[in-house]
């Protein structure tokens, strides 16, 4: 029936997104090693799958499909779960153990069964490395064996109405792996899978949320200088009374705005990632349904005290950049308005000077025009005198006739010059 309907091209992709990285049932006891390899900017997203193919060929396992985002494969000595995320690749290795009552549940970890030469070639850079031991215990809330964790840094809680107990100090051990002990007090395989996945995702996302902290600390000094510079420039604005001074201040403000926008562009993606990963940590902690153990902080309380201040630092830095950008933009707009007003006043002065010059030129032109009329009339009458003197004028003298022609010639010359000026005018 559905095949007869016009289907959206992304329907299958969107429907499968809910099942992209499912929580798989776990048979306890089990030991888990988790790696999250951060991909470099512009790195080939298919490199991880190709590297996984080499491991499959070594063990005679069917290789994954090209471009697969999720792979679950059994290699005999260990099981591998691969997940491709937006900016990292998750590698989770599982194998049976540890035995109940083992003095050190982290003595024989899952990653020890993985070929070291293959691990050394994993694409990306390791950000998260954690061991999760899930032993079965007869009693509830048994304290972890001595030496597993730093006592002063220990956090623990009862999970899912007492079905499990989680212990960790969130500290990398001698091998560089964080250790998490998840004691099974009668979990079903499905619940064990969900809790283990929630625990390793908390460990993964908390470190990803902290990726922006070094960046926030690194730009704090530059932000302090930019804030001080902006305050000093803003204080100088009322005292600027020359256009050159205002233009120089505008250039300084523009350089400052460029610095702030550069910081915003460099930090925007990482800071938004911190907000998203921090929200994911909170949701995964809620899914654990923690109950306090006597005298110990829960995982949620521990992370609230340690993780939240770091995330707040990142948030404050992002807010500071945004506020500085707005303040600098307002100062630039204000100074531009002042420069525009000053330029307009200067333009008005120039236009006034040009008008005065035009009027002076007009008066000069009129003066020159009058002199031109007199000069041209003089030459015309002189020529007329040379022409009239030889002629018999019947009792009239040539001088009398020339005197009578003076106003006529001057008038005709003046009229002619006026017409020529009107034709030349635009």
């Amino acid at each position: 029936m559905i095949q007869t309907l016009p289907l959206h091209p992304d329907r299958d992709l969107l429907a499968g997104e809910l099942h992209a990285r499912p929580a798989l049932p776990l048979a306890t006891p089990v030991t888990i090693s988790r790696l999250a390899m951060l991909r470099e900017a512009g790195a080939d997203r298919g490199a991880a799958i190709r590297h996984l193919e080499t491991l499959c060929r070594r063990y005679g396992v069917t290789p994954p499909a090209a471009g697969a985002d999720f792979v679950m494969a059994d290699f005999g000595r260990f099981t591998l779960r691969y997940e491709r995320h937006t900016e990292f690749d998750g590698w989770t290795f599982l194998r049976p153990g540890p035995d109940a009552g083992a003095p050190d549940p982290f003595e024989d970890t899952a990653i020890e069964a993985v070929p070291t030469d293959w691990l050394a070639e994993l694409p990306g850079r390791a950000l998260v490395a954690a061991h999760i031991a899930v032993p079965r215990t007869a009693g509830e809330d048994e304290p972890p064996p001595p030496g597993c964790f730093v006592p002063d840094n220990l956090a623990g809680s009862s999970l899912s109405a007492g079905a499990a107990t989680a212990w960790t100090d969130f500290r990398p051990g001698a091998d560089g792996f964080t250790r998490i002990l998840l004691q099974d007090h009668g979990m079903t395989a499905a619940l064990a899978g969900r809790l283990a996945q929630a625990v390793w995702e908390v460990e993964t996302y908390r470190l990803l949320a902290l990726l922006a902290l070094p960046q926030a600390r690194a730009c704090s000094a530059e932000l302090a200088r930019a804030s001080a510079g902006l305050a000093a420039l803003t204080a100088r604005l009322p005292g600027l009374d020359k256009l050159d001074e205002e233009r120089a201040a505008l250039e300084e403000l523009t350089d400052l705005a460029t610095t702030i926008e550069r910081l915003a562009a460099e930090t925007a993606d990482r800071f938004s990632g911190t907000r998203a990963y921090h929200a994911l940590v909170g949701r995964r902690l809620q899914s654990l349904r923690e109950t306090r153990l006597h005298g110990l902080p829960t995982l949620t309380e521990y992370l609230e005290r340690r993780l939240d201040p770091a995330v707040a630092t990142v948030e404050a830095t992002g807010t500071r950049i945004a506020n500085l950008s707005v303040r600098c933009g307002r100062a630039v707009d204000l100074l531009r308005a002042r420069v525009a007003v000053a330029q307009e006043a200067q333009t008005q002065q120039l236009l006034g000077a040009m008008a005065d010059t035009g009027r002076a030129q007009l008066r000069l032109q009129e003066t020159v025009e009058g002199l031109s009329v007199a000069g041209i009339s003089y030459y015309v009458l002189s020529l007329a005198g040379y022409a009239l003197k030889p002629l018999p004028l019947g009792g009239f003298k040539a001088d009398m006739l020339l005197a009578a022609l003076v106003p006529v010639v001057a008038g005709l010359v003046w009229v002619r010059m006026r017409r020529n000026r009107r034709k030349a005018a635009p």
Side-chain angles (χ1 to χ4, degrees), residues 53-293:
E53 289 174 357
T54 64
L55 185 67
C56 291
R57 286 194 293 270
R58 179 184 297 192
Y59 282 85
V61 175
T62 303
D69 292 333
F70 177 82
V71 178
M72 194 77 179
D74 186 355
F75 292 89
R77 293 186 61 202
F78 64 92
T79 301
L80 169 62
R81 172 190 171 113
Y82 165 76
E83 313 144 17
R84 180 163 62 186
H85 295 258
T86 303
E87 58 179 340
F88 71 94
D89 295 302
W91 303 88
T92 308
F93 307 94
L94 309 96
R95 62 184 298 198
D99 296 329
D104 184 1
F106 301 100
E107 183 178 4
D108 190 15
T109 60
I111 205 167
E112 293 177 7
V114 184
T116 54
D117 59 330
W118 181 84
L119 282 173
E121 298 297 326
L122 277 177
R125 294 192 176 186
L127 177 68
V128 179
H131 294 313
I132 305 172
V134 191
R136 293 176 183 168
T137 58
E140 295 185 1
D141 304 339
E142 293 184 4
C148 286
F149 305 107
V150 178
D152 296 338
N153 216 46
L154 186 62
S157 58
S158 178
L159 310 181
S160 294
T165 305
W167 309 84
T168 184
D169 56 6
F170 291 104
R171 285 180 175 272
D175 58 355
F177 281 72
T178 305
R179 297 181 172 191
I180 303 171
L181 180 61
L182 186 62
Q183 295 172 333
D184 178 11
H185 304 314
M187 292 187 290
T188 63
L191 179 58
R194 290 197 301 271
L195 290 182
Q197 181 170 340
V199 166
W200 78 55
E201 287 182 347
V202 166
E203 178 65 12
T204 301
Y205 294 139
R206 77 172 180 91
L207 288 172
L208 286 164
L210 291 174
L211 269 179
L213 184 60
Q215 198 173 17
R217 288 173 174 168
C219 68
S220 60
E222 197 168 2
L223 282 175
R225 289 193 296 269
S227 181
L230 179 58
L233 275 172
T234 306
R236 282 168 44 198
L237 292 184
L240 301 179
D241 54 0
K242 294 181 180 179
L243 184 58
D244 291 341
E245 294 178 352
E246 291 176 339
R247 284 176 175 169
L250 182 58
E251 289 181 3
E252 290 183 50
L253 269 176
T254 303
D255 291 341
L256 195 58
T258 301
T259 299
I260 296 171
E261 292 306 315
R262 174 181 58 81
L263 289 175
E266 290 175 352
T267 59
D269 290 344
R270 193 69 268 157
F271 285 8
S272 62
T274 288
R275 289 190 292 272
Y277 287 127
H278 185 236
L280 286 173
V281 170
R283 287 197 284 270
R284 296 303 182 269
L285 288 170
Q286 288 179 357
S287 69
L288 295 177
R289 295 163 54 202
E290 291 184 277
T291 304
R292 179 188 298 278
L293 298 177

Side-chain angles (χ1 to χ4, degrees), residues 300-387:
T300 300
E301 292 171 342
Y302 186 96
L303 290 176
E304 283 178 350
R305 286 204 308 266
R306 311 295 176 92
L307 177 64
D308 288 4
V311 173
T313 299
V314 174
E315 292 282 0
T317 303
T319 302
R320 191 177 176 189
I321 292 174
N323 290 340
L324 270 177
S325 178
V326 172
R327 286 169 52 200
C328 195
R330 286 201 300 259
V332 169
D333 291 341
L334 177 62
L335 193 51
R336 279 178 178 167
R338 287 189 55 164
V339 170
V341 170
Q343 287 178 335
E344 186 176 349
Q346 192 177 57
T347 302
Q348 291 294 333
Q349 291 177 355
L350 290 174
L351 289 175
M354 291 175 62
D356 293 340
T357 302
R359 284 191 290 270
Q361 289 178 343
L362 179 60
R363 287 194 295 270
L364 179 61
Q365 183 179 351
E366 291 173 347
T367 302
V368 171
E369 187 177 292
L371 293 174
S372 298
V373 170
I376 293 172
S377 299
Y378 173 77
Y379 285 114
V380 170
L381 289 171
S382 296
L383 292 173
Y386 286 116

